[in-house]
Amino acid sequence: MKKKPARKIEIDAEPYPFDFTPGACALLIIDMQRDFLEPGGFGEMLGNDVSQLRQCIAPNKKLLAKWRAKGLPVIHTREGHRPDLADLPQAKRVRGHGKRGIGDPGPMGRILIRGEAGHDIIPELYPQPGEPVIDKPGKGAFWATDLHAILQNRGIRQLIVTGVTTEVCVNTSVREANDRGYDCLVPADCVGSYFPEFQEMGLKMIKAQGGIFGWVSNSAKVLAALV
Ligand code: TIU
């Protein structure tokens, strides 16, 4: 018997429409962790305006609900380290010369340490059973993780990438995914940066030069494709 061709739906995106194949596409939610997003967390302690990031919670929540309702795969990531700091490079530990850094006591437990309250995902987007959570020691979701194997085992070739921050972990993960052969679409309202200029440029870099790393769209357009 002939195999049924995969269903494709166009999502309006820049620099040109994205050929969405629901059976081969995962929602990858990057680092929506309490320490980055919540008032009183590590991000705010560093002097950042968390309201800039919090704008993307509601659109993510809506997209996640619909994505789950359609039975499509969801993967979450968290940036953080082992409690013994064995996986924390010295270069990352000393960078910034902040008063407090990774592994030190913070407002919500030890900063960016697995198992601590601040390291966990915000309640609004909390993972459900069956949704893999990737603990990553770096900015990119692929480096030193089993994400590529998980995606390959599930036949995933496309990613809708959301989360924080646009210019750091989202951008790094999209670039890593692109080099591994995945098509990535980033809904602009579902990613956030502490810095408006980095939000703008982080998105521009993805879609520049004919989609050098991927596509940029918005959650309404992705939701419209999830009929
Ligand atoms: N998740 C992520 O982007 N980690 C960061 O450290 N981001 C900053 O913008 N600092």
Side-chain angles (χ1 to χ4, degrees), residues 195-209:
F195 309 100
E197 67 270 36
F198 290 168
Q199 172 78 0
E200 188 191 343
M201 289 303 165
L203 290 166
K204 271 192 177 169
M205 284 180 194
I206 290 167
K207 67 184 178 187
Q209 301 183 63

Side-chain angles (χ1 to χ4, degrees), residues 30-33 36 42 46 48 53 77-79 92 102 112 136 138-139 163-172 192-195 198:
I30 303 287
D31 299 359
M32 291 294 278
Q33 292 162 257
F36 292 130
F42 178 52
L46 293 176
N48 294 307
L53 297 197
T77 71
R78 300 185 294 202
E79 180 179 352
K92 185 175 180 183
I102 296 168
L112 292 188
K136 61 186 187 62
K139 303 304 179 193
V164 299
T165 62
T166 310
E167 76 279 17
V168 181
C169 293
V170 172
N171 240 275
T172 307
S193 169
Y194 297 120
F195 309 100
F198 290 168

Side-chain angles (χ1 to χ4, degrees), residues 62-219:
K62 202 167 162 187
L63 179 59
L64 177 60
K66 187 76 178 274
W67 198 267
R68 282 173 172 159
K70 290 283 163 193
L72 299 174
V74 180
I75 298 177
H76 307 258
T77 71
R78 300 185 294 202
E79 180 179 352
H81 295 274
R82 295 160 52 110
D84 64 4
L85 305 183
D87 61 350
L88 176 63
Q90 175 73 354
K92 185 175 180 183
R93 195 182 68 77
V94 300
R95 194 82 48 78
H97 299 281
K99 278 196 190 76
R100 278 186 280 176
I102 296 168
D104 293 338
M108 288 190 276
R110 291 180 68 202
I111 294 162
L112 292 188
I113 298 300
R114 295 174 192 158
E116 301 287 342
H119 170 265
D120 210 355
I121 293 174
I122 57 169
E124 294 91 330
L125 302 174
Y126 209 75
Q128 285 185 353
E131 296 175 355
V133 178
I134 308 290
D135 277 322
K136 61 186 187 62
K139 303 304 179 193
F142 289 84
W143 184 73
T145 73
D146 51 9
L147 176 59
H148 188 52
I150 289 172
L151 296 174
Q152 294 292 296
N153 292 340
R154 293 176 179 207
I156 303 293
R157 290 180 282 104
Q158 304 185 328
L159 299 169
I160 306 289
V161 187
T162 75
V164 299
T165 62
T166 310
E167 76 279 17
V168 181
C169 293
V170 172
N171 240 275
T172 307
S173 300
V174 166
R175 291 168 189 227
E176 285 184 331
N178 178 60
D179 279 347
R180 286 164 177 79
Y182 299 96
D183 282 331
C184 295
L185 180 142
V186 179
D189 54 332
C190 292
V191 294
S193 169
Y194 297 120
F195 309 100
E197 67 270 36
F198 290 168
Q199 172 78 0
E200 188 191 343
M201 289 303 165
L203 290 166
K204 271 192 177 169
M205 284 180 194
I206 290 167
K207 67 184 178 187
Q209 301 183 63
I212 193 90
F213 300 124
W215 286 257
V216 175
S217 184
N218 61 50
S219 63

